[in-house]
Amino acid sequence: MTYQKLFEPYTLGAITLANRVVMAPLTRNRAGAGLVPSEFAPEYYAQRATAGLIISEATQISRLAQGYQNTPGLYTPEQIVAWRKVTDAVHAEGGHIFVQLWHVGRVSHVDLLGGDAPVAPSAIRAETKTFVNNSFADVSEPRALTLDEIPAIVDDFRKAAANAIEAGFDGVEIHGANGYLLDQFLRETANVRTDAYGGSIENRARLLIEVADAIAQQIGPERTGVRLSPVSPAGGVLLSGNEQAQFDYTVEQLDKLDIVYIHVIEGATAGPRDAVQFDYKTLRNRFRNSYIANNGYDLTLAEQHLASNEADLIAFGRPFISNPDLVKRLNTGAPLNPLDPDTLYGGGAKGYVDYPALKD
């Protein structure tokens, strides 16, 4: 097979990407005091700017949106200033970068939230752990959001999107995946509300659609994307068997907003692609704009899906951690650097900005 399409330029909204390779969001738990991005973040992202598009690590929209130790935010002036250093560094290398906007919902711990309980669609605790106080711990019992609290959640997303543009990002990705707040609302196993935000496919999709609409109106649909994970058990998600109908409807509604892309985790996040049956082509067919495919892609699978028009862009995650020049390595067939699992989360420069690039 001749590998060509992955390395062709691609127009995404108002920007032209150098290739169809996307760097997926990768949480690294290196934020500094005030939850600003790491002092090494500008170098880290600039090293990877040969990706057609970088999607930043998940970034919380408010103090109460945090779920893990040392993850960055985008809701204070100091955070905006620090992120501007990152976007400037990426743009100086000719790259493009979106920020992933995040509210973890129930996947959090009281010690991260100043003693406050995590919020969720319903008071159902997730069977999962988070990283807090330098160790893994069971997440805390959440409380259900009241109906009159929900508009503030939407507004926090909107304000964070406005902050992202002020910080120099080319756009934003709404984190609607992996068992976090917006995904929790989509799931009948996590959402047992009986008001306008629960009880039916349409109601469970309502919050995600309201957030996407608010952000698209704030910064433009051409700068707004959404990440989805229809059948991933990440974040303690329990599947109901109704995922196809739920996500078919959700994507139809996102399409009506004319947002620039959907970014779909196909299968279990960082796990098998085919453990649960799901027809991703129906999402592709319901969405007019760009489809970013994610999870378990190698060069051959990427080219197959691009050639068959099953995807427009292909996201790679962990390979980008240890291979800052992943695009070049894929294009030339060069071997990949091995990943050091001991430096994935937390720490400083080691395992972050010191992976070697190929020599010219």
Side-chain angles (χ1 to χ4, degrees), residues 14-18 49 51-55 90-91 94-98 170:
I15 59 178
T16 299
L17 311 181
L53 177 67
I54 293 172
I55 305 170
V90 169
H91 292 150
H96 294 94
I97 183 168
F98 277 36
D170 297 295

Side-chain angles (χ1 to χ4, degrees), residues 131-259:
F131 191 69
V132 58
N133 302 322
N134 297 311
S135 65
F136 285 96
D138 290 338
V139 298
S140 299
E141 189 79 24
R143 67 170 181 84
L145 284 161
T146 63
L147 193 59
D148 62 1
E149 289 179 304
I150 289 178
I153 298 287
V154 176
D155 202 49
D156 283 341
F157 271 101
R158 182 195 62 77
K159 288 187 290 189
N163 291 344
I165 300 307
E166 184 179 346
F169 284 99
D170 297 295
V172 309
E173 176 175 283
I174 300 161
H175 200 339
N178 290 349
Y180 299 118
L181 183 67
L182 300 178
D183 194 27
Q184 291 159 29
F185 269 85
L186 291 170
R187 308 285 177 176
E188 54 194 304
T189 56
N191 179 355
V192 295
R193 301 176 75 96
T194 56
D195 58 19
Y197 291 89
S200 69
I201 285 173
E202 295 79 9
N203 284 356
R204 287 195 300 273
R206 190 179 307 278
L207 181 56
L208 174 59
I209 302 308
E210 287 182 352
V211 167
D213 187 28
I215 288 178
Q217 290 191 45
Q218 177 69 42
I219 67 171
E222 75 282 359
R223 297 199 280 194
T224 304
V226 171
R227 196 182 206 200
L228 302 168
S229 57
V231 296
S232 179
V237 161
L238 299 176
L239 302 182
S240 68
N242 200 33
E243 285 76 26
Q244 191 77 58
Q246 180 69 63
F247 284 88
D248 284 353
Y249 171 81
T250 300
V251 167
E252 285 176 355
Q253 301 310 302
L254 292 172
D255 181 70
K256 292 177 182 178
L257 300 178
D258 199 33
I259 62 169

Side-chain angles (χ1 to χ4, degrees), residues 76-87:
T76 71
E78 294 78 15
Q79 292 163 352
I80 295 170
V81 169
W83 275 118
R84 169 62 81 167
K85 295 177 183 177
V86 172
T87 61

